[in-house]
Amino acid sequence: KKIQLKIIGEGANEKLLRELVNDLGLSEFVFFEGYKTKDEIVIAYNEANVFVSSSFKETFGVVLIEAMACGLPIVATKSGGPVDIVNEQVGYLAEVNNASSLQLAMQNMIDNYGNFESENIRQNVIANYSEKVVSEKLENQFIQCLKNKKQ
């Protein structure tokens, strides 16, 4: 299978990663896309088949929700927010700072890619993270806080 990894963004390790890709002879499979605007990110999501996040710390995971809204299955690390977002219907989780675990999760995605339905992933986002749903959850939390305060 010809698989490409497109790395979007810039960071302190970019030079080291570029050297590693060259040393491993992976230049035809790994591409460094650099910084992208919001509009370019949406295009990238729509061109992709899977979204992978290898974060060490992810407080919520907005990028995961964005990718899922575009129907992408997810591979992410158990870096905080992804633990509450990624389930067996939308993707796989890997251990933080564990290349073998991430590799296994990515291989599972390759092997089981056909089990993920874009529309189901989108519906998961709508059911759990749409403006209406989040607003209702927040409103209910505020009401509960006010009730507790009166007691």
Side-chain angles (χ1 to χ4, degrees):
K1 299 176 183 178
K2 186 170 182 181
I3 296 173
Q4 296 180 344
L5 174 64
K6 295 183 179 181
I7 300 173
I8 297 174
E10 300 169 338
N13 294 323
E14 184 176 346
K15 183 180 178 194
L16 177 67
L17 290 172
R18 285 179 180 273
E19 290 172 3
L20 182 61
V21 165
N22 286 331
D23 291 347
L24 295 173
L26 297 173
S27 300
E28 65 182 290
F29 303 107
V30 180
F31 302 91
F32 293 86
E33 304 272 310
Y35 173 82
K36 291 198 178 289
T37 65
K38 288 180 183 181
D39 290 338
E40 291 170 326
I41 291 287
V42 172
I43 292 168
Y45 286 146
N46 286 304
E47 291 175 346
N49 298 99
V50 175
F51 183 84
V52 178
S53 172
S54 60
S55 293
F56 294 113
K57 185 78 172 159
E58 193 73 53
T59 54
F60 175 67
V62 171
V63 293
L64 301 179
I65 302 299
E66 290 173 346
M68 289 168 50
C70 293
L72 294 178
I74 304 295
V75 174
T77 53
K78 298 176 184 177
S79 54
V83 174
D84 295 322
I85 296 170
V86 180
N87 58 50
E88 61 276 352
Q89 285 83 39
V90 301
Y92 297 109
L93 288 169
E95 298 302 321
V96 174
N97 201 24
N98 185 324
S100 296
S101 180
L102 184 61
Q103 184 273 330
L104 180 61
M106 291 168 70
Q107 187 63 54
N108 283 338
M109 181 58 71
I110 292 166
D111 295 342
N112 299 296
Y113 179 74
N115 295 338
F116 295 95
E117 295 289 330
S118 291
E119 189 54 34
N120 291 345
I121 295 169
R122 280 188 208 91
Q123 290 305 316
N124 180 290
V125 170
I126 292 167
N128 293 292
Y129 304 103
S130 67
E131 183 178 346
K132 180 180 186 230
V133 170
V134 171
S135 295
E136 287 173 0
K137 287 180 182 179
L138 287 172
E139 182 178 357
N140 290 335
Q141 287 294 319
F142 289 134
I143 290 168
Q144 190 61 45
C145 286
L146 290 171
K147 284 180 182 177
N148 290 342
K149 187 174 181 175
K150 288 180 182 180
Q151 293 175 355

